Amino acid sequence: MKRIPIVLAHRGASANAPENTLAAFREGLAQGAQGVELDVHLTADGKLCVIHDHELGRTTTGSGLVHEKTMEQLKQEDAGGWFGPAFAGERVPELDEVLAVFPEGHLINIEIKSGPVRYPGIGRRVAEAIGDWKEKHRLLISSFDHQVLEEVYQTEPALPLGLLFEARLYRLESYIQSLPYPVHAVHVWHHLVDHELVEEAHKLGLLVLPYTVDHEHDVARLAEAGVDGLISNGPGRVLSLLT
């Protein structure tokens, strides 16, 4: 019997609200998502802010690079009006603000952004910042920068870690064994996921969480392949397709 994958709201329910805002995260909860995926950057004053891009222009009224702004400066920009007038006034949230939205036991996948802008010490900073939350939430820290995850592990060895991939890795076992830290999950571009990859990952004790899954045929294909979760912009719709 195939498992029914859980559904994580990608940057919140970002098909229905401006991504990585408190509105999007609350909408994800309202749609019944069992987890959430979000992105963190480091500000000029050492705060962890929740936004996807390294630049402000696409999702806020600001301009320039996130790491050159203080959290106070980021809070002055509108992060919701671009999506629709109903969301005007949404702000770039701090990580703590986002974590406070979710009920106890919620799965929260924090993706650490690294590259092309590098944030020295961001892995350590994330691990330290979520220390007070690890008893409340089910936390999963992921990144395309696998060296950053080593920094997380060195700071807080008990935190589950997820490897993000945009390309198929044909020697998954040897790569996992080469890493200086344990891995909990692989987050793979959904086009690259098939039965073979899922079987190999499961033999290694890894969860498979494909991104970003919004179309009906992809939901069916990935569920049939036995993935553990689906990261989607429209979690409510995906949940309806799974039931």
Side-chain angles (χ1 to χ4, degrees), residues 9-19 24 27 31 82-83 87 212 214 232-237:
H10 183 240
R11 308 176 198 171
S14 53
N16 306 102
E19 64 181 61
E27 179 61 23
Q31 291 186 19
W82 65 273
F83 191 90
F87 297 102
T212 305
D214 293 328
S232 175
N233 294 317
R237 180 172 180 273

Side-chain angles (χ1 to χ4, degrees), residues 178-194:
S178 75
L179 294 171
Y181 52 81
V183 177
H184 183 76
V186 288
H187 305 229
V188 187
W189 187 36
H190 74 86
H191 291 291
L192 304 175
V193 177
D194 56 21

Side-chain angles (χ1 to χ4, degrees), residues 11 19-20 39-44 49-60 62-69 74 92 111-120 122 143-145 148:
R11 308 176 198 171
E19 64 181 61
N20 278 325
D39 308 282
V40 295
H41 295 252
L42 202 59
T43 66
C49 66
V50 178
I51 188 171
H52 180 268
D53 297 359
H54 291 86
E55 297 183 338
L56 294 171
R58 183 177 67 86
T59 60
T60 80
S63 61
L65 297 172
V66 172
H67 79 281
E68 295 177 345
K69 311 291 184 179
L74 292 178
V92 175
E111 179 185 340
I112 300 176
K113 306 304 286 188
S114 179
V117 174
R118 303 290 176 181
Y119 301 102
I122 190 172
S143 184
F144 284 105
D145 183 344
V148 164

Side-chain angles (χ1 to χ4, degrees), residues 26-224:
R26 291 183 177 120
E27 179 61 23
L29 282 174
Q31 291 186 19
Q34 297 110 322
V36 67
E37 183 268 355
L38 58 90
D39 308 282
V40 295
H41 295 252
L42 202 59
T43 66
D45 54 342
K47 304 291 186 181
L48 291 167
C49 66
V50 178
I51 188 171
H52 180 268
D53 297 359
H54 291 86
E55 297 183 338
L56 294 171
R58 183 177 67 86
T59 60
T60 80
T61 51
S63 61
L65 297 172
V66 172
H67 79 281
E68 295 177 345
K69 311 291 184 179
T70 65
M71 196 66 229
E72 183 179 358
Q73 289 173 317
L74 292 178
K75 288 286 189 183
Q76 294 172 8
E77 306 298 344
D78 185 336
W82 65 273
F83 191 90
F87 297 102
E90 284 291 323
R91 303 299 172 188
V92 175
E94 285 191 62
L95 179 59
D96 274 349
E97 291 181 273
V98 175
L99 294 176
V101 167
F102 297 101
E104 186 171 350
H106 206 69
L107 175 60
I108 300 177
N109 173 198
I110 299 171
E111 179 185 340
I112 300 176
K113 306 304 286 188
S114 179
V117 174
R118 303 290 176 181
Y119 301 102
I122 190 172
R124 174 186 54 79
R125 181 74 185 88
V126 168
E128 292 174 345
I130 60 179
D132 292 338
W133 295 99
K134 63 185 179 182
E135 299 303 323
K136 178 180 179 181
H137 299 309
R138 292 183 292 145
L139 298 171
L140 175 59
I141 315 303
S142 65
S143 184
F144 284 105
D145 183 344
H146 300 170
Q147 289 184 327
V148 164
L149 296 179
E150 181 178 358
E151 191 178 319
V152 174
Y153 174 69
Q154 290 173 346
T155 308
E156 190 63 65
L159 284 172
L161 304 176
L163 305 177
L164 272 157
F165 293 105
E166 284 183 307
R168 181 65 182 263
L169 194 65
Y170 287 98
R171 296 182 177 179
L172 182 60
E173 182 174 8
S174 60
Y175 182 70
I176 294 294
Q177 292 175 345
S178 75
L179 294 171
Y181 52 81
V183 177
H184 183 76
V186 288
H187 305 229
V188 187
W189 187 36
H190 74 86
H191 291 291
L192 304 175
V193 177
D194 56 21
H195 285 273
E196 182 183 359
L197 175 63
V198 173
E199 183 177 354
E200 182 180 10
H202 284 170
K203 284 181 179 178
L204 296 171
L206 304 173
L207 299 178
V208 181
L209 304 174
Y211 66 90
T212 305
V213 186
D214 293 328
H215 299 295
E216 183 173 355
H217 63 278
D218 290 320
V219 172
R221 174 179 61 85
L222 294 164
E224 175 62 26

Side-chain angles (χ1 to χ4, degrees), residues 3-26:
R3 72 188 74 193
I4 298 177
I6 64 169
V7 178
L8 286 75
H10 183 240
R11 308 176 198 171
S14 53
N16 306 102
E19 64 181 61
N20 278 325
T21 62
L22 297 183
F25 297 126
R26 291 183 177 120

